[in-house]
Amino acid sequence: MPDPALPSRSSLAARLDALPFTRAHFRVLSGSGIGWALDAMDVGLISFIIAALAQQWALTPAETGWIASIGFVGMAVGAGVGGLLADRIGRRQVFAITLLVYGLATGASALVGGVAMLMVLRFFVGLGLGAELPVASTYVSEFAPAAIRGRLIVILEAFWAVGWTASALIGYFVIPASEAGWRWAFALGAVPAAYALFVRWGLPESPRWLASRGRIADAERVVLTLETSADLRRRPASRAEPGHRVLAESSSARVRMLWSRELRLRTASVWLVWFCVNFAYYGAFIWIPTILFNAGYDLVRSFGFTLLITLAQLPGYAVAAWLIELWGRRLTLSVFLAGSVVAALFFGTAGEPFAIVAAGMALSFFNLGAWGALYAVTPEIYPTSLRATGAGWAAGVGRIASIIAPLMVPMLLQTGGAPLAFTVFAGFFVVAAVAAWGLADRRGKSLDDR
């Protein structure tokens, strides 16, 4: 029989949504964001390391393509498994485990002596990374007040730009400095292994997930901590907890529920958006340093151009964070995807250094703003009992495109050069912009806590 002294799940959710932004929210956001930045640093580093190893190890285009793609194979597996685990054992637990896995694998990559072992370790890097990103966005969304939830997720995604900029700085200053520069870059990528310990013990579990598992007292303690941080000291609502309804109890039921009558349009739309955005983003950004090098710019100059292009990510996130609560999720996402179409076509035909940098910065601005909106809308469209599963499987489907794109880019470049490659990327952005309109827009609304 429920304890009448405990609050109901609905009252806990209402209290979470009514909170202002507090120090406790900042701790959750920054703690998750630092992990996100470290993830981005790892993904970004491989694009610079591939360009360096292609010279040192005389790699073929097929080998460099597989080094890039094998990490995305791990990401595809990790995203689906990580989402299922997060709905079963908790968001915080999975977040910490994934950081530990990919941090250790990245550090070990500094010691490899050949392509085969590097590919094995890159798979494990991807396994951890693929699980972490959708779980982190789900985790933060479940703490965020309804009025600013989308904005906070875009800000979380903005930490990606911080990490990618860090990777560009390492790529510019560390990798070209010596033949062992790429090894030092991998060693720096091992930082997340230590950070995982802070995540495990320093951040609270999601109160919405705790309540969905019937752990109302534990959820109440977390909500009280947030209210204390906001100087809102109140007694728990004195009403009995009704029999809580969840849409799915088991992992298999969660996956089936994604394709129920209620959710199938959302699932189909979000999977298509994730697939198209991943293909275009990773096809372009993993290969930009190599494309510039092959165009005749030396390694240092091509890395310098990439650093400038990367800096445009931050204003892209800032504008998306402002617009997402003004325009809503779908319109913001589709507008930034439309901007990505134009920027991709411009980059593919740019020839002079100024045009290359300007087009690349526009692509960074619009594409990363779209990523922010996509990460904001994805966890919102699913109920709590399968939120991480839904976000994880969407990301996993997207990672399939991440595997394919780096393998296709060398063929596209050989067939029609950068103009053909970036025209293909623009086409994928068009499809994503149309598919975005099949998503549910929950701007200002409470999350579905079933």
Side-chain angles (χ1 to χ4, degrees):
M1 183 174 179
D3 184 347
L6 292 177
S8 67
R9 286 176 62 199
S10 59
S11 66
L12 284 170
R15 287 159 61 189
L16 284 168
D17 284 336
L19 284 167
F21 185 74
T22 68
R23 290 188 301 275
H25 286 110
F26 177 78
R27 188 180 180 194
V28 167
L29 179 63
S30 59
S32 303
I34 292 170
W36 200 290
L38 293 170
D39 290 356
M41 185 175 77
D42 179 88
V43 175
L45 279 175
I46 196 63
S47 67
F48 297 99
I49 289 169
I50 285 173
L53 288 181
Q55 283 188 298
Q56 286 190 29
W57 290 359
L59 299 179
T60 66
E63 288 173 322
T64 57
W66 273 110
I67 292 172
S69 289
I70 196 65
F72 297 119
V73 175
M75 283 185 179
V77 176
V81 173
L84 288 168
L85 282 175
D87 278 332
R88 183 174 182 178
I89 68 174
R91 287 45 165 141
R92 182 183 67 170
Q93 297 273 59
V94 175
F95 189 26
I97 291 169
T98 57
L99 283 168
L100 191 62
V101 167
Y102 99 80
L104 292 174
T106 299
S109 300
L111 305 175
V112 299
V115 173
M117 183 53 65
L118 178 59
M119 289 175 61
V120 170
L121 289 171
R122 290 304 302 170
F123 173 82
F124 283 100
V125 169
L127 196 67
L129 179 60
E132 192 274 330
L133 294 178
V135 172
S137 61
T138 298
Y139 176 72
V140 174
S141 73
E142 291 182 344
F143 278 92
I148 57 171
R149 186 174 58 242
R151 186 162 295 158
L152 291 187
I153 300 303
V154 178
I155 292 171
L156 171 67
E157 237 290 272
F159 280 89
W160 184 270
V162 175
W164 201 281
T165 301
S167 74
L169 289 170
I170 293 170
Y172 185 73
F173 290 108
V174 176
I175 294 176
S178 69
E179 284 198 3
W182 63 270
R183 296 186 186 274
W184 285 108
F186 272 137
L188 290 170
V191 172
Y195 179 70
L197 297 177
F198 165 76
V199 172
R200 174 63 181 85
W201 299 112
L203 296 178
E205 182 54 270
S206 162
R208 293 181 188 270
W209 179 82
L210 290 169
S212 75
R213 306 295 288 184
R215 295 168 58 181
I216 303 298
D218 292 335
E220 169 67 16
R221 281 192 287 272
V222 177
V223 175
L224 280 175
T225 299
L226 293 167
E227 290 174 337
T228 300
S229 180
D231 293 325
L232 297 174
R233 294 172 176 81
R234 64 179 78 175
R235 295 183 63 81
S238 297
R239 56 187 172 121
E241 166 67 8
H244 65 278
R245 179 192 173 211
V246 296
L247 291 183
E249 295 281 3
S250 66
S251 295
S252 59
R254 292 185 185 104
V255 176
R256 288 196 304 272
M257 193 65 200
L258 298 179
W259 292 99
S260 66
R261 183 184 298 273
E262 177 187 358
L263 299 176
R264 66 179 59 151
L265 175 60
R266 301 178 194 180
T267 297
S269 298
V270 80
W271 283 20
L272 185 56
V273 176
W274 272 88
F275 186 90
C276 292
V277 173
N278 269 274
F279 186 96
Y281 175 78
Y282 286 106
F285 283 88
I286 288 292
W287 282 97
I288 279 177
T290 301
I291 290 171
L292 293 173
F293 180 75
N294 291 340
Y297 300 102
D298 62 33
L299 205 59
V300 174
R301 198 175 185 197
S302 66
F303 284 4
F305 284 168
T306 306
L307 175 58
L308 290 173
I309 289 169
T310 300
L311 292 175
Q313 294 181 8
L314 283 170
Y317 284 126
V319 174
W322 174 59
L323 290 176
I324 200 163
E325 300 296 357
L326 183 66
W327 288 356
R329 283 55 165 149
R330 285 180 302 204
L331 179 58
T332 301
L333 176 57
S334 60
V335 166
F336 274 86
L337 287 170
S340 299
V341 173
V342 176
L345 293 173
F346 184 22
F347 188 89
T349 56
E352 296 301 317
F354 175 78
I356 290 171
V357 172
M361 292 180 75
L363 187 58
S364 276
F365 177 91
F366 285 109
N367 197 189
L368 276 296
W371 270 117
L374 181 57
Y375 268 106
V377 74
T378 300
E380 289 184 342
I381 65 177
Y382 292 111
T384 297
S385 57
L386 57 142
R387 182 166 297 122
T389 299
W393 278 68
V397 169
R399 299 310 176 192
I400 296 172
S402 307
I403 299 164
I404 298 169
L407 297 174
M408 284 190 62
V409 169
M411 292 184 288
L412 292 171
L413 292 175
Q414 289 174 1
T415 303
L420 175 61
F422 281 85
T423 299
V424 171
F425 300 150
F428 275 85
F429 283 133
V430 169
V431 174
V434 174
W437 290 94
L439 303 175
D441 195 324
R442 299 189 65 85
R443 177 181 54 155
K445 299 177 182 178
S446 181
L447 293 173
D448 183 346
D449 280 317
R450 288 177 293 168

